[in-house]
């Protein structure tokens, strides 16, 4: 719980910093790059977590890796996190930052899960199922999950609309699991 609050605070602070410097989109892109890099390179995460390595060395390593790749202001914020010994939560602030960013920009993130990739017109038709719950712009995330067999699942915030074949089969299985035989007739 404490880490979650800490991560959210840093994400909020970074968004406020990004708004102040008019770089919200750049901040999101920078965080995505930094998070992808840290998540894909275990050695880098291990180096950053070494207690015997000075903060200055860690800052030099991060600076050499990301200088020219991310904005100087984002790098400055990351250096502040390293100063505060918060290197372990750097990749974790992306998700809450994106949520806060979407809220700030009034963007609704809708996830459509299908068994196969669907085209843009089909995505727009499926958004109709949640359109009355959405204010603002819609950002569609299309996930592919072959286990749903067919149909689609739409997720928006806590709302889920499941019209997948897998869900229909589960409902049918529940009906067949019921013993409808009544003794005595």
């Amino acid at each position: 719980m404490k880490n979650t609050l800490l991560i959210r605070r840093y994400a909020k602070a970074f968004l406020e910093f990004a708004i102040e410097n008019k770089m919200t989109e750049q901040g999101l892109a920078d965080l995505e790059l930094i998070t992808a890099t840290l998540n894909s390179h275990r050695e880098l995460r291990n180096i950053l977590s070494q207690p015997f390595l000075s903060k200055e060395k860690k800052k030099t390593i991060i600076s050499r890796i990301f200088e020219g790749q991310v904005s100087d202001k984002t790098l400055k914020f990351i250096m502040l996190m390293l100063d505060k010994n918060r290197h372990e939560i750097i990749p974790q602030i992306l998700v809450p930052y994106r949520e806060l960013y979407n809220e700030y920009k009034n963007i609704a993130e809708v996830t459509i899960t299908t068994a196969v990739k669907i085209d843009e017109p089909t995505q727009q038709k499926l958004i109709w199922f949640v359109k009355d719950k959405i204010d603002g712009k819609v950002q569609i995330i299309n996930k592919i999950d072959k286990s749903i067999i067919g149909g689609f699942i739409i997720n928006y915030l806590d709302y889920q609309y499941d019209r997948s074949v897998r869900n229909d089969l589960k409902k049918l299985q529940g009906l067949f699991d019921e013993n409808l035989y009544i003794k005595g007739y």
Side-chain angles (χ1 to χ4, degrees):
M1 178 79 170
K2 184 178 179 185
N3 248 0
T4 305
L5 290 173
L6 183 67
I7 292 165
R8 187 128 178 110
R9 279 188 195 142
Y10 272 97
K12 186 175 180 186
F14 186 60
L15 179 66
E16 290 170 0
F17 177 75
I19 291 169
E20 185 178 300
N21 290 291
K22 297 175 178 48
M23 55 168 272
T24 53
E25 290 84 10
Q26 179 67 43
L28 180 61
D30 291 348
L31 278 180
E32 286 172 344
L33 176 67
I34 291 168
T35 300
T37 303
L38 289 173
N39 285 341
S40 64
H41 294 89
R42 190 181 69 181
E43 304 85 20
L44 179 58
R45 287 192 316 268
N46 288 340
I47 289 170
L48 291 176
S49 65
Q50 296 301 322
F52 60 84
L53 203 59
S54 71
K55 289 179 190 175
E56 293 308 313
K57 282 277 190 195
K58 292 176 185 179
K59 288 167 82 172
T60 302
I61 292 168
I62 290 296
S63 181
R64 284 188 179 168
I65 292 171
F66 294 111
E67 200 165 28
Q69 302 292 320
V70 299
S71 74
D72 293 338
K73 292 176 179 160
T74 302
L75 204 53
K76 183 178 176 182
F77 189 84
I78 297 301
M79 295 305 160
L80 174 75
M81 291 183 74
L82 290 172
D83 280 338
K84 302 281 185 186
N85 285 325
R86 301 293 187 203
H87 59 274
E88 74 279 352
I89 66 167
I90 292 171
Q92 298 171 3
I93 65 172
L94 173 63
V95 173
Y97 178 84
R98 185 180 289 130
E99 290 169 358
L100 292 167
Y101 170 83
N102 285 343
E103 185 179 315
Y104 172 72
K105 291 287 191 172
N106 199 20
I107 298 172
E109 201 170 84
V110 177
T111 304
I112 300 175
T113 307
T114 54
V116 295
K117 184 152 179 58
I118 56 174
D119 60 357
E120 184 69 29
T122 306
Q123 290 177 3
Q124 294 303 320
K125 287 178 186 173
L126 292 176
I127 290 300
W128 177 83
F129 289 101
V130 291
K131 197 67 171 166
D132 59 329
K133 295 166 183 25
I134 297 174
D135 289 335
K137 301 175 226 155
V138 177
Q139 179 180 351
I140 300 171
I141 299 170
N142 187 268
K143 289 187 179 178
I144 297 172
D145 181 2
K146 295 190 184 299
S147 71
I148 70 168
I149 304 169
F152 59 90
I153 302 170
I154 298 175
N155 291 306
Y156 171 64
L157 298 175
D158 292 337
Y159 178 77
Q160 183 177 47
Y161 187 78
D162 191 343
R163 294 297 301 162
S164 64
V165 173
R166 178 181 62 194
N167 187 45
D168 291 344
L169 289 173
K170 281 183 185 177
K171 287 178 184 175
L172 277 173
Q173 182 181 7
L175 288 173
F176 284 117
D177 286 346
E178 241 179 77
N179 186 3
L180 299 176
Y181 175 75
I182 301 173
K183 192 174 180 179
Y185 287 101

